[in-house]
Amino acid sequence: MTMAERALRGTRLGATSYENDRNTDLAPRQEVDYTCTKGHRFTVTLAAEAEVPITWECRNCGATALRVDGELPQTKKGKPPRTHWDMLMERRTLEDLEEVLAERLEILRAGRKKSA
């Protein structure tokens, strides 16, 4: 039996890493603290050059957590949604619409007279 076979005996392949951090240089890191609305506080380790997000999902409850030294992002004021009426009024005046309505009503009334 070779030495490699003895080293693997009694272990599940892939279950345990036999590597260690000796003689390796780890990338520079930073630790960022977050607190969620329910009071859970946790730390996330990120690369030193990474852009740090303002919010992060809480590890305990899944709520949105805010960076301890951060401020809430400003909500942008958006335009109110345009309705069909708004778009119609951009193309027509009330007088135009009254004329179109009168024409359509006349066509409908003429159709009813023929069928009666």
Side-chain angles (χ1 to χ4, degrees):
M1 183 180 295
T2 66
M3 187 167 176
E5 290 172 341
R6 278 184 280 167
L8 293 176
R9 180 184 287 175
T11 63
R12 295 178 297 177
L13 291 176
T16 306
S17 172
Y18 293 104
E19 294 181 5
N20 57 35
D21 292 337
R22 283 183 278 157
N23 301 326
T24 59
D25 292 329
L26 298 176
R29 300 171 187 206
Q30 62 179 329
E31 291 187 347
V32 183
D33 294 323
Y34 289 90
T35 305
C36 81
T37 55
K38 295 183 180 177
H40 301 127
R41 187 179 179 117
F42 58 94
T43 303
V44 177
T45 303
L46 301 169
E49 66 273 358
E51 184 177 328
V52 179
I54 298 291
T55 59
W56 196 274
E57 183 177 321
C58 179
R59 294 178 176 172
N60 298 318
C61 63
T64 301
L66 180 65
R67 196 169 72 201
V68 171
D69 60 347
E71 296 179 9
L72 280 175
Q74 297 294 326
T75 56
K76 296 179 181 177
K77 292 184 179 180
K79 292 182 185 178
R82 288 176 31 197
T83 63
H84 293 292
W85 181 254
D86 294 333
M87 290 184 269
L88 184 64
M89 292 308 293
E90 289 173 5
R91 297 187 311 266
R92 307 274 183 145
T93 63
L94 281 176
E95 292 80 21
D96 292 340
L97 293 174
E98 287 174 2
E99 286 179 28
V100 171
L101 178 63
E103 290 172 8
R104 296 306 298 169
L105 287 173
E106 192 175 308
I107 293 170
L108 287 173
R109 288 179 185 137
R112 285 187 185 160
K113 289 179 183 176
K114 288 179 184 178
S115 63

